Amino acid sequence: MPEIIKISDLPLLSEAGFAGGRDNFHAFCKAIFSDRQPRYFRTKADALVVFNHADLMAFGTAPQIGNVPPGILFPGTMDAPPDAEAAPGKRIAEVLSAQVFTTNPPIHGASRRILLNWIGPKQVTGMEGIVRDLVDNILDAMDNGTEVDFVPSVSEALTIGFWSKLLDLTADEIARITQATREMNRLFIIDRTEEDLRALDRAFDDYAKVLDDAAKRGLENGNADLLEIQRQLQELNFEEDINSVGVYPRTVSEVLSGNLIDGFHTAALASANTCYTLSRHPHVLDEVRGSSQLLAKAISESLRLEPPVLLLRRYVLEDFEYDGMIVPRGTQVVMMWAAGNLDPKAFPEPYEFDLHRRHQGMTVFGNGIHICPGRYVGIMLTRILLEGLEARNMRLRPGQSAAEWIPGYFMSQLRSLPIAIERRAEE
């Protein structure tokens, strides 16, 4: 008979050496995949921590495992009386409540379709021309061999430029949203303070105001994509619950502000982390030249080794019976997606860069019905950037100073990435 798992009896994740951020992550994974380690861990708040690839695949595809709804993610903020003083995190909760990652069926599928009808694989292919122009402008402005901080100079510039073009942001709006998204990095701190929450509320508020203005202006000017989102929103009609299925967006601006957090942030991480990896394996870009198939494999292998997301939380919607145990309804589950990519049972010699590795089952973007819908944008931006480097016969070389990763995050995020972009010697 299966038994209810006793999460409080599991060892703490911190006892295995995980403190957040990328710096100690590889050493941590080598430790947890040794034969001496337990199958699961727990957090200080008694969330179940899943890290084995097979378990991640099972939990990620189980219908009983959903997203953390907004009322659980930010308890006490969304159901407070209207005249109550705003609790720290209230503005964050309001914006995130429209995000697809805080909804569950039936709301989740409908919200997800709206996004994919805008930034799905076919639609993103049609946006490549915008990105090629941006890449041309960024690379043409660089002096050969000059060292730059790749994070703001290339990754952020490309990602913010892409969304700014799609939404026709003004110069002032671009400056505001750049500052807001940088301040919103506090969202990814594992142990946030009240000061962090207050700062996040201010950043989220200005970020949402920029996108609200952009949405209204776009609708007035006949932006076809935004008009289509508005049309689809009018068809939504669900019973909502902030503690289970979540809530659904009513306006185009809510769709944008709720879901473009990852668009502005994680898409930039994808290109930065890929180029960090490739700059340390210079032979790879030489090997993939002229082959779109090999270039795609190089991006996948780079992201397997250096994925933007280390972990995300999920929520048990109904009792989940799995492999002789029962995970009770209401349990929060930490899905260590990045660890799944370093599980030697799924990816032999996981720390080796293997351009010809099979990437089936890779957990960079999660899996199941909750897999990241914005992955097509992140990969497309990265691919066209690398194609731009190839077209100019350029390569990436690590800078004189070391790359700096941000500690204490549940993201693998570079604070700075010194890289020299230089032309290859003529053959």
Side-chain angles (χ1 to χ4, degrees):
M1 290 287 293
E3 296 184 356
I4 295 176
I5 187 171
K6 295 180 180 179
I7 297 175
S8 60
D9 290 346
L10 296 173
L12 284 167
L13 182 61
S14 57
E15 293 174 354
F18 180 70
R22 186 270 182 197
D23 275 339
N24 71 337
F25 192 70
H26 284 188
F28 161 75
C29 286
K30 289 176 182 177
I32 62 175
F33 289 120
S34 71
D35 293 336
R36 301 185 303 276
Q37 292 297 331
R39 184 169 181 177
Y40 304 103
F41 292 99
R42 66 179 173 94
T43 67
K44 294 178 182 178
D46 279 346
L48 177 66
V49 180
V50 179
F51 61 89
N52 286 292
H53 183 271
D55 294 335
L56 287 167
M57 297 298 283
F59 275 71
T61 55
Q64 299 93 334
I65 311 296
N67 288 315
V68 185
I72 305 297
L73 192 60
F74 291 98
T77 57
M78 297 194 65
D79 52 1
D83 57 347
E85 181 180 354
K90 179 175 174 58
R91 191 67 181 114
I92 313 171
E94 290 172 344
V95 174
L96 289 181
S97 67
Q99 189 184 70
V100 68
F101 292 125
T102 63
T103 60
N104 291 303
I107 293 176
H108 177 266
S111 297
R112 187 182 187 85
R113 280 191 294 275
I114 290 175
L115 281 181
L116 289 176
N117 286 338
W118 181 35
I119 54 171
K122 180 179 178 180
Q123 292 80 358
V124 165
T125 298
M127 301 171 182
E128 290 186 3
I130 295 173
V131 183
R132 294 189 192 283
D133 289 343
L134 290 168
V135 167
D136 286 344
N137 292 335
I138 291 169
L139 295 182
D140 288 347
M142 290 188 174
D143 295 328
N144 182 38
T146 300
E147 183 175 309
V148 299
D149 184 347
F150 199 86
V151 173
S153 300
V154 182
S155 293
E156 285 184 0
L158 177 58
T159 305
I160 291 173
F162 170 71
W163 294 111
S164 298
K165 287 288 186 181
L166 283 189
L167 300 174
D168 196 24
L169 299 186
T170 66
D172 176 68
E173 289 169 339
I174 293 171
R176 285 169 60 194
I177 212 156
T178 299
Q179 180 60 37
T181 53
R182 288 175 178 170
E183 189 65 23
M184 286 160 63
N185 281 336
R186 293 177 186 241
L187 183 66
F188 309 108
I189 298 173
I190 290 178
D191 294 316
R192 291 191 296 263
T193 65
E194 183 174 320
E195 180 185 353
D196 290 324
L197 291 175
R198 297 287 188 193
L200 280 166
D201 279 334
R202 294 190 294 270
F204 267 74
D205 189 59
D206 198 41
Y207 157 85
K209 286 177 179 176
V210 169
L211 293 180
D212 182 54
D213 289 342
K216 290 175 180 177
R217 183 173 61 245
L219 292 170
E220 290 173 358
N221 293 337
N223 182 299
D225 291 328
L226 300 187
L227 287 169
E228 177 59 20
I229 292 173
Q230 184 181 61
R231 185 194 68 76
Q232 293 174 75
L233 286 174
Q234 293 168 352
E235 298 177 353
L236 301 185
N237 184 22
F238 297 101
E239 185 175 341
E240 300 173 308
D241 187 333
I242 61 171
N243 296 316
S244 58
V245 298
V247 300
Y248 61 90
R250 269 37 177 208
T251 66
V252 174
S253 62
E254 288 178 351
V255 172
L256 298 182
S257 61
N259 292 285
L260 290 192
I261 297 166
D262 297 308
F264 281 99
H265 174 265
T266 313
L269 268 60
S271 63
N273 289 15
T274 297
C275 290
Y276 166 85
T277 307
L278 292 176
S279 70
R280 281 144 181 82
H281 297 86
H283 65 283
V284 173
L285 285 181
D286 292 332
E287 189 173 347
V288 305
R289 292 177 74 182
S291 172
S292 58
Q293 183 178 14
L294 286 179
L295 180 60
K297 285 180 173 290
I299 294 171
S300 292
E301 182 69 348
S302 297
L303 290 174
R304 184 191 66 82
L305 284 165
E306 301 292 353
V309 179
L310 297 179
L311 59 89
L312 290 175
R313 285 195 290 171
R314 291 280 180 87
Y315 189 69
V316 182
L317 302 171
E318 299 293 341
D319 287 359
F320 176 47
E321 184 176 334
Y322 171 67
D323 202 18
M325 69 176 187
I326 296 173
V327 185
R329 175 182 179 179
T331 300
Q332 293 202 39
V333 181
V334 171
M335 305 285 283
M336 298 201 75
W337 294 118
N341 291 321
L342 298 177
D343 185 340
K345 292 182 180 178
F347 300 100
E349 302 296 330
Y351 304 97
E352 297 296 322
F353 191 108
D354 182 356
L355 183 59
H356 303 286
R357 186 189 299 275
R358 287 173 55 88
H359 292 110
Q360 185 175 3
M362 193 170 68
T363 55
V364 171
F365 301 103
N367 71 346
I369 65 170
H370 302 290
I371 192 169
C372 178
R375 63 193 185 279
Y376 304 108
V377 169
I379 291 174
M380 182 268 286
L381 293 175
T382 303
R383 174 176 56 81
I384 292 182
L385 172 59
L386 294 174
E387 289 175 352
L389 291 169
E390 179 183 333
R392 290 163 176 76
N393 200 28
M394 287 178 163
R395 65 176 182 178
L396 304 171
R397 176 175 55 79
Q400 295 299 312
S401 52
E404 183 182 356
W405 299 89
I406 303 177
Y409 272 28
F410 58 84
M411 307 294 284
S412 182
Q413 180 169 346
L414 287 151
R415 178 178 282 124
S416 64
L417 176 57
I419 277 185
I421 302 176
E422 56 189 14
R423 295 189 181 277
R424 295 181 179 88
E426 294 295 332
E427 298 178 356

